[in-house]
Amino acid sequence: MATLHFTATTTATPEQFVAGLTDFGPGRAELFENSADDELKVHSRGPTEADVTEGSSGIWERLHYDWSDPDRVVLNTTDSNTWSNKSSHTYTFNRLPEGMTVIDYVVVRDGKTFKGRLLGVVLGTVGKGRLKKAFDGAVKAIEARSNDAGKAGAV
């Protein structure tokens, strides 16, 4: 099992980041490179939770999203062709006084197949940089989208 921890500081508010994280519409791959639009299926969605299948490159997982806590979003794997239900993603937000937000992101990857176990080892070692790059890309994309929305509202 691989547990990876990443941190980023952004001008996006927790609400803006959650809005990006829970936007399951077309173009999701522009924010999250490991979520291809053609593999995205929303099974159900409520005000603070969703049941979504997403993935890319032949790896998919069904996730239960919970954003009922304004300072934390938890995604638990409920089904996957690669990852066990011990796998998860947790985003925790720390609001800074100057308007910035620190995002702590913890990824737990527990492979349920040979491929999953192998990927878990790779992610826990040499693949960590790839996940960090994807996380940083998502933070920058959500920040840019939030800044663009603010500019459009100011016109």
Side-chain angles (χ1 to χ4, degrees):
M1 183 180 320
T3 301
L4 305 154
H5 181 251
F6 305 106
T7 303
T9 302
T10 179
T11 59
T13 65
E15 294 80 10
Q16 290 168 329
F17 197 84
V18 171
L21 190 61
T22 60
D23 179 352
F24 304 113
R28 184 166 176 78
E30 295 171 19
L31 300 178
F32 300 97
E33 68 179 55
N34 293 326
S35 183
D37 286 350
D38 61 343
E39 296 192 33
L40 181 68
K41 181 175 182 186
V42 178
H43 304 281
S44 67
R45 182 187 170 122
T48 61
E49 65 180 348
D51 178 15
V52 179
T53 298
E54 57 189 310
S56 66
S57 304
I59 298 172
W60 61 268
E61 65 184 317
R62 188 166 179 170
L63 295 158
H64 176 260
Y65 280 70
D66 178 352
W67 62 95
S68 59
D69 179 341
D71 295 321
R72 179 181 303 246
V73 177
V74 179
L75 291 65
N76 287 312
T77 302
T78 59
D79 192 16
S80 174
N81 66 340
T82 307
W83 309 115
S84 83
N85 63 359
K86 294 178 187 173
S87 298
S88 64
H89 307 260
T90 303
Y91 298 85
T92 305
F93 309 107
N94 182 16
R95 299 164 196 263
L96 300 177
E98 64 275 8
M100 303 288 281
T101 302
V102 176
I103 303 170
D104 285 312
Y105 174 46
V106 177
V107 183
V108 177
R109 286 300 191 208
D110 182 51
K112 76 175 190 181
T113 63
F114 175 75
K115 179 180 179 179
R117 289 188 293 279
L118 181 61
L119 281 172
V121 170
V122 170
L123 289 175
T125 56
V126 296
K128 186 175 182 180
R130 171 109 167 74
L131 279 182
K132 172 69 171 147
K133 182 181 173 209
F135 170 61
D136 288 343
V139 170
K140 285 183 172 71
I142 290 172
E143 188 174 82
R145 183 169 100 162
S146 299
N147 289 338
D148 289 345
K151 289 176 188 172
V155 173

